């Protein structure tokens, strides 16, 4: 008797298309999770440290998920949803404790391995299961695990750059992103029993071909016997069984009843352990002397926080008591002394914030050092500057000083959240009409330069031309350092060329740089400035003399001018101090804080000097700064206690 043949099931094209679309959506979700996860780590680790090894973690996750045993899609979706629900807490608390170990390289790696790797690996395992679902086990067309891995890794790493371009997403709290994605996964698990199956139907058993019965020998003389020549009737094949309908599994209805519970959980017990953003009212820490006055999300600076330390009898916090600071991510943009420590030579040294609280000296002398540009305009007939341009506001220390000195001060700041904080909490006066520009400085300077060039060629010479042309600036303060690095496009030869076109011939450009001058980034900034300006002088802001100026991490201010004459600083008078003890000290000790920049550039071999000239077409400054930002993280951790960085 012939055996029954098993016919392989046909793969449904609609099922393949459906699983492909689902796989793409899962990969988009994983890339969004990775993007939000890096954002979640920025306030604790900055930007450079989390990015250092995260691509390797993504590849490791994809290898693990691709070669792990196949997982049931429904249960894996539930597991992924639970991991996403836990992510606001796990990403914060694991990063808090690893950061306290003080290692900005291995701390993020440990956090990635504990928090991110299991989540991405499970997501990739779901992609693998979706790819295999429409095919039978023996189907040669089924995708291979070795193909799933590189596709997933490349997609997750590459698609992260897509999300910042979407409107509103950069200012959406990352915890909300995690919880909404977790709700989507949990909801899919809940409704899965009612979704059509994409798996192939069971193999059809094919009946064997009927064989004719042997002809019987003729039977003579017997009644009722059929004719020997009559053929046997063929046996009919049994009908092919239709696929059984999808049975409702026990607990399916209970899953549906859980759907309203998911949004409730996300708005209650699953909320992030960090402060709401924007912060509607000041928050006082329950166990340490700290009050958070403002916390908001910025498209450009990440989390922007205004905090204030309170008086305390605890020795650990006494040194930093009555300090108000402005931070963006894991970097301090500035700060001032407040309350009992808001001191001045006289009442003019005390400012008021929007609420009327007293504000004293800056905690960083670098911002006061920048103001020495007022003392550098010593060209006969132009001893008093008339206006100033501020590129990069920070807490607004220099801008506020120039306004108090009567200079028409124009502010170009890319981040409106930073400007709002400086105005509300650090005493920055409201700029005059057309004196505030919330935009990228490169674009603003370029447009200003083009406008000036057009007006000089289309307007008649003389007084009318001067009235129609935009003003040239006597002072420019260029301070864009944040998070251990600088926006590299604001330090190229092309940018300095545009900037020089809007500066008066004897004007002064003060450029802030925080770092090590012997480092590649320090050499690049110094070399490019010296090739762009005829004269430059450099001063560091430390209140104590440095014995290794070029090899220590210091705040530097480079004073450069278009004039061929060397920059000279006039002697300060009492009016220059604005009632500030710090200004008096910094201006009096200016000569002792100078470095001859030839010590930096002359040590560069002749064959390598072109490499350190920063150009738009070849600008490695961002790459150099990313490597050096690790040291900046350690410095920031020494400025404020850990708990202050952990409260935002």
């Amino acid at each position: 008797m012939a055996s029954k043949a098993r016919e392989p099931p046909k793969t449904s094209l609609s099922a393949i298309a459906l699983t492909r679309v689902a796989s793409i959506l899962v990969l988009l979700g994983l890339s969004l999770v990775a993007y939000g996860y890096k954002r979640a780590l920025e306030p604790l680790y900055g930007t450079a440290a989390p990015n250092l090894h995260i691509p390797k973690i993504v590849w490791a996750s994809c290898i693990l998920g691709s070669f792990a045993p196949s997982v049931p899609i429904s249960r894996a979706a539930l597991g992924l949803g639970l991991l996403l629900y836990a992510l606001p807490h796990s990403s914060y608390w694991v990063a808090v404790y690893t950061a306290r170990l003080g290692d900005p390289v291995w701390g993020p790696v440990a956090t990635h391995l504990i928090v991110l790797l299991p989540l991405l690996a499970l997501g990739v395992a779901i992609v693998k299961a979706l790819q295999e679902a429409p095919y039978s086990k023996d189907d040669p067309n089924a995708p291979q695990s070795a193909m799933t891995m590189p596709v997933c890794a490349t997609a997750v790493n590459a698609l992260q750059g897509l999300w910042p371009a979407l409107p509103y997403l950069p200012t959406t709290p990352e915890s909300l992103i995690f919880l909404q994605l977790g709700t989507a996964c949990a909801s899919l698990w809940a409704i899965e029993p009612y979704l059509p199956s994409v798996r192939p139907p069971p193999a059809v058993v094919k009946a064997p071909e009927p064989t004719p019965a042997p002809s019987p020998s003729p039977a003579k003389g017997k009644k009722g016997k059929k004719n020997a020549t009559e053929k046997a009737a063929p046996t009919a094949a049994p009908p092919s069984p239709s696929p059984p309908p999808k049975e409702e599994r026990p607990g399916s209805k209970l899953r549906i009843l859980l759907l309203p519970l998911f949004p409730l959980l996300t708005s209650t017990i699953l909320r992030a352990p960090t402060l709401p953003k924007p912060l509607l009212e000041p928050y006082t820490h329950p166990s340490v002397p700290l009050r958070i006055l403002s916390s908001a999300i910025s498209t450009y600076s990440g989390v922007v926080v205004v905090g204030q330390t309170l008086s305390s009898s605890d020795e650990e916090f006494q040194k930093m008591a009555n300090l108000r600071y402005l931070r963006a991510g894991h970097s301090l943009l500035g700060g001032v002394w407040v309350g009992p420590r808001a001191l001045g030579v006289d009442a003019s040294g005390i400012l008021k914030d929007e609420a009327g609280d007293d504000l004293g000296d800056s905690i960083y002398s670098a911002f006061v050092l920048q103001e020495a540009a007022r003392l550098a305009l010593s060209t006969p007939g132009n001893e008093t500057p008339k206006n100033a341009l501020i590129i990069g506001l920070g807490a607004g220390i220099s801008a506020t000083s120039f306004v108090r000195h009567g200079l028409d001060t124009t502010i170009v700041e890319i981040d409106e959240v930073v400007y709002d904080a400086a105005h509300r909490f650090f005493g920055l006066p409201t700029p005059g009409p057309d004196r505030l520009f919330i935009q990228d400085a490169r674009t603003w300077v370029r447009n200003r330069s083009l406008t000036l060039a057009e007006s000089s060629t289309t307007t008649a010479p003389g007084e009318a031309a001067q009235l129609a042309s935009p003003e040239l600036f006597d002072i420019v303060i260029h301070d864009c350092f944040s998070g251990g690095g600088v926006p590299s496009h604001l330090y190229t030869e092309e940018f300095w060329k545009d900037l020089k076109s809007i500066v008066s011939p004897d004007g002064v450009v003060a450029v802030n740089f925080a770092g090590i001058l012997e480092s590649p980034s320090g050499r690049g900034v110094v070399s490019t400035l010296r090739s762009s300006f005829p004269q430059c002088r450099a001063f560091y802001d430390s209140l104590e003399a440095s014995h290794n100026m070029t090899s220590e991490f210091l705040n530097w201010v480079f004073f450069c001018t278009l004039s061929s004459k060397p920059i000279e600083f006039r002697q300060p008078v009492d009016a220059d101090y604005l009632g500030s003890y710090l200004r008096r000290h910094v201006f009096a000790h200016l000569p002792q804080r100078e470095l001859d920049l030839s010590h930096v550039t002359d040590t560069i071999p002749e064959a390598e000097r072109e490499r350190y000239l920063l150009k738009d077409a070849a600008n490695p400054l961002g790459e150099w700064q990313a490597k050096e930002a690790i040291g900046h993280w350690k410095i920031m951790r020494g400025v404020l206690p850990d708990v202050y960085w952990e409260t935002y």
Side-chain angles (χ1 to χ4, degrees), residues 307-572:
Q308 181 170 316
T309 63
L310 308 176
S311 299
S312 173
S313 58
D314 192 330
E315 293 184 1
E316 180 183 0
F317 302 106
Q318 280 182 351
K319 182 180 178 181
M320 304 304 294
N322 299 299
L323 160 68
R324 181 176 295 181
Y325 61 86
L326 173 62
R327 63 174 282 199
H330 197 273
S331 179
L332 290 178
L333 301 185
V336 295
W337 300 107
V338 296
R341 302 183 74 172
L343 305 175
V345 178
D346 51 44
S348 65
I350 308 298
L351 297 179
K352 301 285 185 180
D353 67 0
E354 191 177 61
D357 296 332
D358 290 344
L359 305 175
D361 271 328
S362 167
I363 61 171
Y364 283 129
S365 59
F367 304 119
V368 172
L369 180 58
Q370 295 168 3
E371 298 174 24
R374 286 186 58 256
L375 311 180
L377 296 178
S378 55
T379 301
N382 191 27
E383 289 84 358
T384 305
K386 300 178 180 61
N387 56 36
L389 170 65
I390 306 293
I391 298 177
L393 181 61
I397 305 299
S398 299
T400 301
S401 171
F402 290 153
V403 171
R404 294 177 67 190
H405 280 296
L407 276 68
D408 291 332
T409 304
T410 300
I411 298 171
V412 180
E413 166 60 50
I414 195 172
D415 196 337
E416 188 172 6
V417 179
V418 170
Y419 165 75
D420 181 66
H423 180 64
R424 291 177 57 197
F425 300 105
F426 294 92
L428 176 69
T430 302
D434 298 325
R435 295 295 181 185
L436 174 64
F437 299 89
I438 305 297
Q439 64 183 96
D440 178 57
R442 182 66 184 266
T443 303
W444 188 89
V445 170
R446 180 61 177 163
N447 291 339
R448 182 86 170 194
S449 175
L450 292 175
T451 302
L452 188 64
E454 291 174 0
S455 64
S456 63
T457 57
T458 59
T459 309
E463 183 178 355
Q466 295 179 0
L467 294 175
S469 300
E471 60 186 343
L472 297 175
F473 293 102
D474 296 327
I475 296 176
V476 176
I477 304 297
H478 181 287
D479 185 3
C480 303
F481 183 85
S482 176
V486 296
S488 56
H489 66 295
L490 298 183
Y491 286 80
T492 63
E493 289 182 336
E494 291 83 356
F495 174 76
W496 298 128
K497 179 180 178 181
D498 287 338
L499 184 65
K500 288 188 296 183
S501 68
I502 65 173
V503 178
S504 60
D506 55 355
V508 173
V509 178
V511 181
N512 185 76
F513 174 77
I516 301 173
L517 291 188
E518 288 182 350
S519 67
S521 61
R523 289 179 170 182
V525 170
V526 171
S527 297
T528 307
L529 281 174
R530 296 196 76 188
S531 71
S532 301
F533 291 91
Q535 298 289 334
C536 287
R537 294 177 68 178
F539 301 83
Y540 64 91
D541 76 333
S542 177
L543 297 180
E544 299 179 359
S546 172
H547 301 290
N548 301 296
M549 291 185 289
T550 59
S551 59
E552 290 184 19
F553 191 104
L554 296 171
N555 266 312
W556 291 90
V557 179
F558 307 116
F559 296 93
C560 301
T561 182
L562 279 68
S563 174
S564 58
K565 298 179 180 179
I567 299 175
E568 299 293 339
F569 295 90
R570 64 172 174 82
Q571 287 296 319

Side-chain angles (χ1 to χ4, degrees), residues 61 142 190 225:
S61 304
K225 297 293 183 181

Side-chain angles (χ1 to χ4, degrees), residues 142-415:
Q144 303 298 315
S145 298
M147 294 299 295
T148 303
M149 176 193 64
V151 171
C152 292
T154 303
V156 173
N157 280 323
L159 291 175
Q160 293 177 48
L162 168 70
W163 304 112
L166 297 183
Y168 305 111
L169 190 60
T171 56
T172 301
E174 57 276 358
S175 60
L176 181 61
I177 296 174
F178 301 150
L179 294 177
Q180 294 301 321
L181 290 174
T183 298
C185 292
S187 299
L188 285 173
W189 165 80
I191 65 174
E192 183 270 338
Y194 303 95
L195 296 177
S197 176
V198 294
R199 297 193 177 278
V204 177
V205 177
K206 187 176 180 181
E209 294 291 334
T211 55
S215 299
S217 56
K220 296 181 180 179
K222 291 191 177 180
K223 289 184 179 180
K225 297 293 183 181
K226 292 185 180 178
N227 193 339
T229 60
E230 186 178 355
K231 295 182 179 179
T235 305
S240 300
S242 58
K246 192 170 184 179
E247 296 181 359
E248 184 173 329
R249 288 172 288 180
S252 298
K253 292 182 179 179
L254 179 61
R255 292 189 187 186
I256 295 295
L257 295 177
L258 292 176
L259 281 174
L261 183 63
F262 299 147
L264 178 63
L265 292 174
T266 59
S267 59
T268 53
I269 62 174
L270 295 177
R271 286 188 303 178
T274 55
L275 299 177
K277 299 170 185 60
L279 187 64
L280 301 180
E281 60 182 2
Y283 165 82
T284 302
H285 199 285
S287 57
V288 299
L290 175 66
R291 179 176 297 141
I292 302 300
L293 305 179
S294 174
S295 182
I297 297 178
S298 161
T299 303
Y300 302 99
S301 306
V303 176
V304 177
V305 177
V306 178
Q308 181 170 316
T309 63
L310 308 176
S311 299
S312 173
S313 58
D314 192 330
E315 293 184 1
E316 180 183 0
F317 302 106
Q318 280 182 351
K319 182 180 178 181
M320 304 304 294
N322 299 299
L323 160 68
R324 181 176 295 181
Y325 61 86
L326 173 62
R327 63 174 282 199
H330 197 273
S331 179
L332 290 178
L333 301 185
V336 295
W337 300 107
V338 296
R341 302 183 74 172
L343 305 175
V345 178
D346 51 44
S348 65
I350 308 298
L351 297 179
K352 301 285 185 180
D353 67 0
E354 191 177 61
D357 296 332
D358 290 344
L359 305 175
D361 271 328
S362 167
I363 61 171
Y364 283 129
S365 59
F367 304 119
V368 172
L369 180 58
Q370 295 168 3
E371 298 174 24
R374 286 186 58 256
L375 311 180
L377 296 178
S378 55
T379 301
N382 191 27
E383 289 84 358
T384 305
K386 300 178 180 61
N387 56 36
L389 170 65
I390 306 293
I391 298 177
L393 181 61
I397 305 299
S398 299
T400 301
S401 171
F402 290 153
V403 171
R404 294 177 67 190
H405 280 296
L407 276 68
D408 291 332
T409 304
T410 300
I411 298 171
V412 180
E413 166 60 50
I414 195 172
D415 196 337

Side-chain angles (χ1 to χ4, degrees), residues 571-602:
Q571 287 296 319
V573 297
D574 286 343
D576 295 318
Y577 304 140
L578 296 174
S580 163
Y581 289 111
L582 181 61
R583 287 186 180 87
R584 184 184 296 272
H585 178 85
V586 170
F587 294 164
H589 294 82
L590 197 62
Q592 288 80 27
R593 301 292 181 263
E594 184 171 11
L595 170 72
D596 186 349
L597 287 176
S598 62
H599 293 313
V600 178
T601 55
D602 290 354

